[in-house]
Structures are given as structure tokens and as C-alpha cells.
Amino acid sequence: MKITEINPIKLKFFPKNPPRDGLAGIPSRDVFLVQIKTDEGVEGIGEGFALGCLDSLETITNETLKPHLIGKNPLMIQQLWDAMYQNTSRYGRRGITMAAISAVDIALWDILGKVSGQPVYKLLGAARESLEPYASAGYYMDGKGLTELQEEFTGYLDMGFKTMKMKVGGAPFNEDVERVRAVRKAVGDADFGIDANNAWDYPTALKMARICEEENVLFFEEPMSTDFMQDCIRLAHSTDVPIAGYETNLTRFGMRDFIVNDAVDIVQVDAIWSGGISEAKRVGELAAAWGKSVIPHFSASMVSLAANLSFGLSLSNTRYMEYTLDENPLRTELCQQGIVMKDGMVTVFEEPGLGLSLNWDTIGKYRV
């Protein structure tokens, strides 16, 4: 079997009321897919993180990755990953190059699953059959005050979610404190975490950590920039609230020092950011070696959701799965399948590979 085609697919959706997180606004949901075709008719689909960089991802894929893939055996996943990683080492340890590698790697796993007749999570060595999704929401939006925020979170309880997460870091500190306390009042004893999207410095993050301790917050995600690892270590050692992250610190090499120096308690990794399913699995195993749990990150399309759920189910140290709930038809309409939550849990599809069939009408509607 040989790879014959590498086809980038660029998609973009503009929400009516764009959300904001702790770091910046999100004017559109950008999705970058890679379709890989083989000479035996087996095709795979993968996704790479694409917010604001669709054209750059297409260029990286076509100009730098494709030459290392065409004519090669798609089942040699580690060999191809190493070739892509090493041959882009002068400019690609983080950012768009790693996102493009992620898309290719996920598509290769999809092919392997279809060839073997098994879903990807079983090929990875399934550790469990379901994960508990947490409702990832609480974005800043025009017209959303404390009352609307509380109604949003009680709505997630009504939907069957047992755990939730809200954004902080994008408003004045005292306003964020009010938001955290309002959500705690609304959800009672239910679990919820907060996510600052790397927005704060150490003193501010420490003050919020104290609020999290008072309000029994489940975890505090990405409080600071990963550029300041020593501050991340200081914070994790100075608070009782578990520090989660840092999915923005890519690959096992980026996460290694954060894990071994206890700068993080809960390791969050995203297959479409950090090097694909292959690298997400390696980060998860590294976390397990230090006794840390893993939460797969998710904020993009259904392909991303299936990929992250697949590697999450292969780890014994995973319980939760992030489930972003903002308006996004590239999550809900991109594929003919949809993730179903039953009794507060989600499972992957049992079809071979990622188990997905693309909805080409949706692709045509949102294609750039």
C-alpha cells in the first residue's frame, strides 16, 4: 500500500455572537482537514489546529510534508512521523508545522484502523469503553451577564453533564471572581473547573487559585503562559487546587519538564495540536509514569473530537473528556455520525478507524 494523494481541506464558520476566552476573541471556527488517499482505495481523514492559519497550514502540508509522504507506506506511522518531525526541525517544533503533522498522523491512524478492521482506540490498546465529558463553555459573549451565565450552567446540568468548565482571564479580576462565585451558586455541589487560557501573571493566578480553593473548584486550567515554567511550578506548589494544562505546550518534549517538575497536576493534551494521536498517546503515557491524570482537550470539529476521544480511551489515567459546546456546525454537522452521551458518558464509534463519514454538503457550505 502506498500514499498517492494528500488533500488539504479548509473550512470556516462565523458564529452570530463570537465567543471570547481568557486570551482573545474567536471570530471564527477554523477547521483544517487532511484527506490521505492510497493506491488500494483506502482513505483517511485527519485534523490540525487551525485558528487563524488555514492558508499557512495548507502551504506547510503541501510544500514540506507531502514530499515525505507520497509513495510511502501509510501503515508505517512512526517512521512517517519521525520523517516529518526531523525534516521540519529548523522551523517546526511548535505552532502550525506541528498542527499540520497532527492532521497527517490522525489520517494515518484512520487508514490503519480501516485496513485492520478495528476502531483506533482498540488499536492503541483500549483501557476503557467510555469517558465522562465535561461541558466546556462559559465563554465571554456580548449580552452575557451573571444571570445569563448561571442559566447557561444550570442548562448543562439539565442536559446531563455532571462536570463543567468556564472561562476566566478575559475580564477585570474582580469581575471574574464574581463570575466564578455565581457559577458555584448556580450549580450547587456539581464539579466545575476554570480556564484562563494562559492570560495571567503569577500574582494574579495565585489570587485566583485562592478563590478556587474557597469555591471548591475542580481544577484551574492554563493559568499562565508556558514561557514562564518556573512561575508555573511555583503556582502548582502553592495551591491545593489542581493545576491543569498545558495543551499549548506541544509534544512530549514540551510537556516533559512540566510533568517531571510538577508544574501541572492534570495533563491536558490535544491530538490536533501536539503531533497527532501518536504524540498524544506518548504524552499520556509520560503523564502516567509520574502518576498524573490526563484530560484530552477539544475545541474544534468532529474529526478532532473522535481523535481525542480515541487516544483518551486508550489510557488508564484518563477519566474526563473535554466537550466544547459553543455554536459550531463543524462539530455537529461535519460528519454523518454524532457523539451520543448516555448516562453522562460518551463512547467512540465502533466502525473501523475513527468511524467517521464526512458530510460533503457541509464541507461545500463552509469550504474556503
Side-chain angles (χ1 to χ4, degrees), residues 10 14 29 49 58 62 88 91 93 98 102 122 141 144 157-158 163 184 200 218 270 285 292 298 308 311 329 343 350:
K10 300 181 296 182
F14 293 95
R29 283 298 183 186
F49 179 72
E58 181 180 40
N62 286 333
T88 58
Y91 52 85
R93 290 305 192 229
M98 194 52 59
S102 299
K122 289 184 177 178
M141 299 177 74
K144 184 193 288 187
L157 291 176
D158 293 340
T163 307
R184 169 53 70 207
W200 283 327
L218 183 65
D270 193 321
E285 296 291 2
K292 300 181 185 297
F298 164 70
N308 281 297
F311 95 79
D343 298 326
E350 287 297 331

Side-chain angles (χ1 to χ4, degrees), residues 11-16 27-31 327-330 366:
L11 306 171
K12 185 184 289 284
F13 165 71
F14 293 95
K16 296 177 182 177
S28 63
R29 283 298 183 186
D30 302 340
V31 169
E327 180 189 8
N328 183 6
L330 298 177
Y366 297 105

Side-chain angles (χ1 to χ4, degrees), residues 132-134 156-157 160-164 190-192 343-345:
E132 180 182 336
Y134 69 73
Y156 299 138
L157 291 176
F161 286 97
K162 302 173 184 176
T163 307
M164 295 148 284
D191 286 328
F192 77 95
D343 298 326
M345 305 294 285

